[in-house]
Amino acid sequence: TNILFICGGAFAGIEKIIAQRQKGSSIGFGADVRSADDRNTGEILREIEPEDLLKFGLIPEFIGRLPIVATLEDLSVDALMDILTKPKNALVRQYHRLFEMEGVNLTFAEDALRLVSHKAILRRTGARGLRSIMESILLDTMFDLPGLRGVEQIVINSEVVEGRARPLYIYSEKRDAKESTAS
């Protein structure tokens, strides 16, 4: 109750403003000497001040209406894996359903999902980037899928995610029986 409004956003680049403000003298016995790369974005954002929002470009009248500023931590690999698999409309479930429409079971190895999550962290895209990574992995397979006959299951492992191998196609035994009677 009594909440006027909540605002949120990515505020891309504000961490540079905060880091610049925090740059101080790093000499002496008690100095904390660390490069900017040693700290993650969530750790830097915890130090945000209203002056940083002003330098970022927000107007003072707006900043004055934000009595509490809270930041979020960066998503971990485990959190991104949960996003890929746990929600009702999770990406893995969406692709699984899409392949089911073609009569094929799509399976992801856990190491493959972990690598997809790690790629999203390296790209600094977080959960928003998961779909584009999954799409790039599965695009060729989805294109070839209608023409594949007898494929029962497609397995995606870490080599596929890294681009070193193609997905593993597992054919049904019905295909082998039909081919042997035809010859």
Side-chain angles (χ1 to χ4, degrees):
T1 63
N2 299 330
I3 295 176
L4 181 59
F5 62 89
I6 298 172
C7 73
F11 300 98
I14 199 164
E15 68 276 359
K16 293 175 187 161
I17 295 170
I18 298 167
Q20 185 66 31
R21 176 179 50 84
Q22 290 178 337
K23 241 185 206 175
S25 173
S26 59
I27 59 172
F29 292 114
D32 183 22
V33 181
R34 293 196 302 176
S35 73
D37 296 336
D38 292 344
R39 297 171 57 188
N40 64 20
T41 306
E43 191 178 334
I44 294 171
L45 288 177
R46 270 191 243 127
E47 308 295 326
I48 193 163
E49 295 290 333
E51 298 83 32
D52 301 324
L53 295 171
L54 189 63
K55 277 188 175 180
F56 185 70
L58 297 179
I59 59 174
E61 292 80 12
F62 186 67
I63 296 169
R65 297 187 185 275
L66 299 173
I68 298 172
V69 178
T71 61
L72 302 173
E73 293 293 322
D74 294 337
L75 291 171
S76 66
V77 171
D78 292 330
L80 288 170
M81 283 184 60
D82 287 348
I83 291 168
L84 277 171
T85 58
K86 289 189 177 176
K88 183 175 70 174
N89 62 343
L91 280 175
V92 170
R93 291 182 187 183
Q94 289 178 25
Y95 283 110
H96 184 73
R97 181 70 183 118
L98 189 65
F99 279 66
E100 270 182 357
M101 286 190 233
E102 293 290 333
V104 176
N105 184 19
L106 177 65
T107 306
F108 284 92
E110 186 175 338
D111 61 337
L113 294 176
R114 187 165 294 283
L115 195 56
V116 168
S117 301
H118 188 68
K119 273 188 168 188
I121 289 173
L122 290 177
R123 289 183 182 181
R124 297 182 157 274
T125 56
R128 292 183 307 264
L130 291 173
R131 182 174 294 279
S132 67
I133 294 168
M134 295 285 282
E135 193 76 24
S136 67
I137 293 166
L138 296 171
L139 187 64
D140 291 338
T141 305
M142 288 189 297
F143 182 75
D144 295 338
L145 191 60
L148 296 174
R149 298 290 175 236
V151 174
E152 187 175 84
Q153 183 177 3
I154 296 177
V155 179
I156 306 295
N157 58 20
S158 60
E159 286 86 20
V160 176
V161 175
E162 291 171 344
R164 293 186 294 137
R166 296 202 30 91
L168 175 63
Y169 297 153
I170 299 174
Y171 291 90
S172 65
E173 292 183 27
K174 295 175 194 171
R175 175 181 174 243
D176 297 335
K178 285 181 186 176
E179 287 178 1
S180 64
T181 57
S183 37

